[in-house]
Amino acid sequence: MVVFNSLLSIAVVSVLGALAVPHVGTNLTTRAGTPSSEGIHDGFFYSWWTDGGATATYTNEPKGQFSVTWEYGSEGNLLGGKGWTPGSHTRVMFYTGTYQPSGNSYLAVWGWTRDPVIEYYIIENFGSYHPSSGMIKKGTVTTDGSVYDMGVYFRPSGEPSATQFYSIRRNKRTTGTVDLGAHFRAWEAAGMRLGASHDFQILVCEGYFSSGSCNMTVSEGGSTDTAATTPEANRDSLDSIPAANLEGLAR
């Protein structure tokens, strides 16, 4: 996952997958598109970031709706969407829309916690690159009509990014309800402990050296399922990580 200096309050944010793709190159050509920004639009928090290497457009539509398009063959990274700040341990999110990636891309719930700094993804759909590549698998959680594979990814020593938690849906979809609390409880049972407080919590479309489009609408509410977890034997491996390793990443 590529790291950038964010406009967000955490200051260090990474894009597209810690589970990231092989290195493609760093000499990017700056292209036209929507400049990076964040704020409140029509009652929802939004965040849009691009490294300038892709020809990409982000548009805030009414209420919880947003759209993202990025050109075929574009270089670079991009990420954008809408949701809430701060996030919540108990939020139930509903989303619906269209998502058409070509190449490496995610449709996901994305958020951060503090104390310690943890970045997390609940991936509902993805493109050609499978997000589980390279992560430490921590079992599964069954909720909202599908099995999700849980895992954690640690950045290599010396790279400025947070520990990342993942739930990856096996049955891809573009409409549905996400019970965030079910994932958070399953992560806790597997030894994956989020921070004490939430920063933002949004639905995003991401792209990495790819092309595609999405038009999504997010809202609160919806039916939820009781989650069942099957954490694996290595669930306690997170407990041994010194807190000092995560300090200094935020702000």
Side-chain angles (χ1 to χ4, degrees):
M1 185 176 287
V2 175
V3 178
F4 59 88
N5 293 324
S6 172
L7 300 173
L8 303 171
S9 56
I10 285 186
V12 178
V13 177
S14 43
V15 170
L16 236 218
L19 311 174
V21 283
H23 177 70
V24 180
T26 56
N27 296 321
L28 302 181
T29 301
T30 300
R31 300 174 187 269
T34 307
S36 300
S37 67
E38 66 170 28
I40 302 297
H41 177 267
D42 211 0
F44 287 80
F45 176 78
Y46 80 91
S47 177
W48 164 249
W49 179 87
T50 172
D51 64 5
T55 302
T57 301
Y58 174 85
T59 305
N60 279 319
E61 309 286 359
K63 301 298 182 182
Q65 185 180 4
F66 66 93
S67 62
V68 183
T69 59
W70 63 107
E71 284 190 5
Y72 180 79
S74 292
E75 300 174 327
N77 301 325
L78 56 97
L79 173 153
K82 276 185 170 181
W84 300 268
T85 186
S88 168
H89 243 67
T90 59
R91 176 166 282 117
V92 176
M93 180 186 296
F94 176 77
Y95 70 91
T96 186
T98 60
Y99 171 65
Q100 297 176 311
S102 178
N104 189 5
S105 173
Y106 293 168
L107 172 66
V109 178
W110 179 47
W112 289 78
T113 64
R114 303 172 183 267
D115 302 320
V117 174
I118 301 291
E119 179 186 12
Y120 62 85
Y121 285 88
I122 300 171
I123 298 176
E124 296 289 287
N125 206 327
F126 54 90
S128 60
Y129 181 81
H130 198 287
S132 67
S133 303
M135 77 179 187
I136 300 171
K137 295 181 180 180
K138 305 296 289 185
T140 63
V141 55
T142 301
T143 186
D144 298 319
S146 179
V147 175
Y148 290 76
D149 295 295
M150 303 187 300
V152 62
Y153 183 90
F154 302 110
R155 295 292 296 177
S157 177
E159 293 192 17
S161 181
T163 300
Q164 296 159 331
F165 292 170
Y166 283 81
S167 284
I168 304 167
R169 186 179 178 91
R170 292 184 182 177
N171 299 326
K172 297 179 184 180
R173 60 180 180 172
T174 55
T175 296
T177 297
V178 182
D179 180 358
L180 276 72
H183 291 274
F184 296 162
R185 291 189 297 272
W187 292 350
E188 177 75 17
M192 301 163 60
R193 296 184 178 91
L194 291 170
S197 63
H198 283 270
D199 201 271
F200 63 81
Q201 192 172 70
I202 63 180
L203 181 75
V204 295
C205 294
E206 302 188 55
Y208 182 88
F209 284 75
S210 62
S211 65
S213 66
C214 73
N215 189 316
M216 305 300 300
T217 300
V218 64
S219 60
E220 287 195 89
S223 61
T224 62
D225 297 332
T226 300
T229 63
T230 54
E232 297 177 355
N234 62 357
R235 55 164 288 183
D236 294 326
S237 62
L238 294 183
D239 298 337
S240 62
I241 298 175
N245 288 354
L246 299 176
E247 293 176 358
L249 297 178
R251 303 177 183 84

